[in-house]
Amino acid sequence: LLSLSPSGLTATLPIAGMAGTTALWSYSSRGPTRDGRLKPDVVAPGDGIKSASTEHAQPDPGTCGVRAVGSYSGTSVAAPFVAAAAALVRQYFRDGWYGVYSGVPSRVVNPSAALVKAVILHSGVRVTYDGDSGSSRLLPQVEQGYGRVVLDSVLRFRDEEEG
């Protein structure tokens, strides 16, 4: 019986977690897959992420005080970051921002999942970390795929200088 990790499937976007913005989280999986593909595809913040928590909630369910917030780590908290980035990429195209740097109704596109994934992958910025032997290595890499998702590196708006 062959056991498959979801990160090894072809139609997914596996994500590795980061501690801060410059360190790969030690518990995130590294590639390559058994068939040689590079995974994870990207990395995102995944250590010490603050989120709502029912574990420490006040007795009154209507309150959301400081005690109702927990700190979480792992790819399960890095994945929502990339999901939100994918939603922003989709909205960018749906609002007609691409190519003209301002929302133009005539340029509205319903982006395919492949286009959204391509934008996410190409937004990656290399992450340096402890144990990284080559600061000039090109992306993608087996440890971090295409790097940390930074949408500013691929999406442009009118008020930004081109460069």
Side-chain angles (χ1 to χ4, degrees):
L1 182 63
L2 178 62
S3 173
L4 291 175
S5 165
S7 66
L9 300 175
T10 56
T12 61
L13 185 68
I15 300 158
M18 295 175 55
T21 58
T22 60
L24 295 177
W25 198 55
S26 61
Y27 295 103
S28 286
S29 296
R30 307 290 196 274
T33 62
R34 289 183 183 175
D35 62 2
R37 288 175 291 123
L38 296 175
K39 297 292 176 182
D41 287 336
V42 292
V43 297
D47 187 41
I49 304 299
K50 304 290 187 206
S51 181
S53 170
T54 58
E55 183 178 336
H56 303 291
Q58 300 286 339
D60 176 7
T63 65
C64 188
V66 173
R67 290 180 14 161
V69 174
S71 180
Y72 302 94
S73 298
T75 54
S76 60
V77 293
F81 177 93
V82 178
L88 290 171
V89 168
R90 183 177 189 282
Q91 194 66 41
Y92 183 85
F93 287 98
R94 292 284 302 147
D95 286 351
W97 281 91
Y98 71 98
V100 293
Y101 311 120
S102 63
V104 176
S106 64
R107 295 188 61 89
V108 169
V109 170
N110 188 17
S112 67
L115 176 58
V116 172
K117 182 176 180 178
V119 171
I120 295 291
L121 293 178
H122 291 283
S123 76
V125 174
R126 191 180 186 305
V127 176
T128 57
Y129 54 92
D130 291 342
D132 184 10
S133 60
S135 62
S136 64
R137 289 182 10 199
L138 298 175
L139 295 174
Q141 296 176 4
V142 295
E143 302 90 355
Q144 60 182 287
Y146 287 84
R148 179 172 54 96
V149 175
V150 180
L151 292 181
D152 282 356
S153 68
V154 291
L155 302 181
R156 299 284 183 251
F157 297 94
R158 182 180 3 179
D159 60 343
E160 295 178 347
E161 291 183 30
E162 293 185 42

